[in-house]
């Protein structure tokens, strides 16, 4: 009788431990997914800003060359 109770308690404890492990894993996965989303958002923002400023600088550079260049 005692062994059966211990075995039943062990099974219940193992199920609870797995449930807690799955919860912790899911939370960690969500946090990593959120971090990746945030990094990609910042990367896209930086890339669009860089593309805009580099085109602006290139146009500015060309306009200066046109002014300096003798005809």
């Amino acid at each position: 009788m005692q062994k059966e109770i211990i075995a039943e308690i062990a099974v219940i404890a193992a199920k609870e431990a797995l449930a807690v492990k799955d919860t912790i894993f899911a939370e960690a996965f969500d946090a990593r997914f959120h971090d990746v989303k945030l990094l990609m958002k910042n990367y896209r923002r930086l890339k669009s800003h860089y593309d805009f400023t580099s085109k602006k600088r290139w146009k500015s550079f060309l306009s200066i060359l046109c002014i300096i260049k003798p005809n």
Side-chain angles (χ1 to χ4, degrees), residues 30-44:
D30 289 344
R32 286 182 295 191
F33 182 68
H34 176 72
D35 291 345
V36 169
K37 279 178 47 179
L38 188 61
L39 285 171
M40 289 305 296
K41 178 181 172 185
N42 289 338
Y43 170 75
R44 288 184 193 110

Side-chain angles (χ1 to χ4, degrees), residues 19-70:
V20 169
K21 182 188 125 211
D22 291 342
T23 303
I24 292 171
F25 179 75
E27 290 173 359
F29 180 77
D30 289 344
R32 286 182 295 191
F33 182 68
H34 176 72
D35 291 345
V36 169
K37 279 178 47 179
L38 188 61
L39 285 171
M40 289 305 296
K41 178 181 172 185
N42 289 338
Y43 170 75
R44 288 184 193 110
R45 184 181 299 151
L46 178 66
K47 187 174 184 299
S48 67
H49 176 72
Y50 175 76
D51 289 343
F52 176 74
T53 55
S54 64
K55 288 176 185 176
K56 190 175 178 181
R57 281 195 177 158
W58 180 249
K59 287 180 182 179
S60 172
F61 176 72
L62 288 178
S63 65
I64 292 171
L65 281 181
C66 291
I67 294 171
I68 295 173
K69 181 181 172 187

